[in-house]
């Protein structure tokens, strides 16, 4: 995209990247606050959960907005700049999905209106899959350069915390929980069906939501064939910033 020398209307671009810890909301400058409050009004009007403010995403958004303003150019990735995933990961964000809206306009109200009248940008703002946002607005020669960086939250949990979150999910399905059983974690680490107590079923899966079980595993549990369960978690390798969990469930 060639450098911008003047602006007569709001200019927008959009980016979504998927499969790939939130801090408290901080004070934001007036245009950023206006855009943040405006998008949450739109979500609330449709019964969607509001997005929480994420300082890491806001830092990534500001770096990008400042770079666009410096080059007087609208783009999701300028020459020599990391892409959205790398920018977000570089500020400490952890995510299973990231998305971005960028625009140039005379003020926050016009920028928000333009985003809401653009199907792709509107889809990001109203996505039920996204849960956090960081926003930056920087004054440039062509107007205000605005960036909204969105993500789907993935918590930073150790292995024991991951297991403790899955156990009540299984208990709610009528399974007796076997606590302190290391066989499940050993099986997860080896990625095979080893377990000293010979479970009837060994299920390995990866997820970004520990409150949901894979549909196939749900069906097997609902069959009534199993009475007890143990859970093991192990480290899951992934792209920096992109976070998911690796779980093994033993059914007896």
């Amino acid at each position: 995209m060639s450098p911008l020398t003047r602006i007569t209307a709001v200019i927008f671009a959009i980016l979504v990247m998927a499969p790939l810890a939130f801090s408290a909301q901080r004070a934001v400058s007036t245009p950023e606050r206006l855009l943040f409050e405006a998008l949450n009004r739109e979500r609330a009007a449709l019964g969607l959960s509001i997005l929480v403010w994420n300082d890491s995403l806001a830092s990534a958004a500001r770096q990008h907005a400042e770079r666009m303003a410096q080059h007087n150019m609208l783009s999701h990735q300028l020459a020599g700049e990391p892409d959205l995933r790398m920018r977000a990961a570089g500020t400490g964000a952890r995510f299973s999905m990231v998305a971005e809206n960028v625009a140039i306009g005379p003020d926050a109200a016009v920028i928000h209106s333009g985003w809401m009248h653009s199907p792709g940008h509107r889809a990001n703002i109203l996505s039920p899959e996204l849960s956090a946002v960081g926003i930056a607005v920087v004054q440039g020669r062509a107007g205000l350069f605005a960036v909204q960086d969105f993500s789907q939250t993935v918590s930073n949990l150790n292995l024991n915390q991951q297991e403790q979150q899955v156990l009540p999910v299984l208990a709610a399905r009528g399974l007796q929980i076997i606590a302190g059983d290391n066989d499940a974690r050993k099986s997860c680490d080896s990625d095979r069906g080893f377990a000293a107590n010979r479970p009837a079923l060994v299920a390995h899966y990866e997820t970004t939501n520990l409150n949901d079980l894979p549909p196939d595993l749900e069906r097997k549990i609902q069959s009534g064939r199993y009475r007890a369960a143990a859970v093991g978690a192990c480290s899951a390798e992934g792209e920096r910033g992109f976070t998911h969990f690796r779980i093994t469930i033993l059914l007896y």
Side-chain angles (χ1 to χ4, degrees):
M1 183 180 295
S2 60
L4 301 170
T5 56
R6 64 174 184 168
I7 181 168
T8 58
V10 184
I11 303 174
F12 302 93
I14 182 171
L15 180 65
V16 178
M17 305 174 72
L20 264 164
F22 292 101
S23 57
Q25 180 181 339
R26 63 173 176 82
V28 293
S29 65
T30 298
E32 293 165 343
R33 184 176 67 249
L34 290 173
L35 290 172
F36 179 63
E37 292 174 349
L39 73 84
N40 274 328
R41 282 197 301 271
E42 303 284 2
R43 294 178 65 90
L46 295 177
L48 298 169
S49 61
I50 65 170
L51 299 185
V52 299
W53 183 269
N54 184 308
D55 281 338
S56 295
L57 293 176
S59 179
R62 177 153 297 277
Q63 292 173 19
H64 186 53
E66 290 176 346
R67 196 179 189 106
M68 290 194 299
Q70 178 184 1
H71 292 275
N72 202 38
M73 182 183 295
L74 184 72
S75 175
H76 285 291
Q77 185 176 7
L78 297 169
E81 182 184 32
D83 66 14
L84 172 58
R85 288 186 192 181
M86 294 182 66
R87 293 198 307 268
T91 61
R94 300 174 67 88
F95 47 83
S96 61
M97 175 183 293
V98 286
E100 182 173 81
N101 288 345
V102 299
I104 309 171
D107 57 52
V110 172
I111 289 171
H112 176 73
S113 178
W115 275 334
M116 290 304 296
H117 286 86
S118 167
H121 300 87
R122 179 186 176 91
N124 277 347
I125 289 172
L126 300 179
S127 171
E129 297 182 315
L130 298 171
S131 56
V133 67
I135 304 170
V137 179
V138 174
Q139 179 68 56
R141 297 192 301 277
L144 295 179
F145 286 77
V147 180
Q148 289 178 326
D149 282 348
F150 306 87
S151 78
Q152 182 184 78
T153 311
V154 178
S155 300
N156 186 14
L157 304 175
N158 62 36
L159 297 184
N160 183 63
Q161 289 171 327
Q162 294 172 38
E163 293 166 359
Q164 292 304 310
Q165 191 162 324
V166 177
L167 288 174
V169 176
L170 297 171
R173 286 153 177 77
L175 293 168
Q176 178 184 348
I177 300 304
I178 301 175
D181 189 337
N182 290 325
D183 286 342
R185 190 174 289 187
K186 290 178 182 178
S187 182
C188 186
D189 285 330
S190 65
D191 200 24
R192 57 192 176 87
F194 169 80
N197 293 330
R198 296 183 180 276
L201 178 70
V202 178
H204 300 280
Y205 65 95
E206 295 188 4
T207 183
T208 59
N209 186 351
L210 293 170
N211 294 317
D212 289 339
L213 300 176
D216 184 58
L217 181 57
E218 283 276 19
R219 287 192 292 270
K220 290 177 179 178
I221 292 174
Q222 294 303 323
S223 71
R225 295 176 55 194
Y226 310 103
R227 296 289 179 266
V231 177
C234 51
S235 298
E237 296 181 1
E239 181 181 346
R240 183 185 177 194
F242 174 63
T243 303
H244 60 289
F245 306 111
R246 189 176 175 196
I247 301 295
T248 291
I249 294 178
L250 308 182
L251 295 177
Y252 298 88

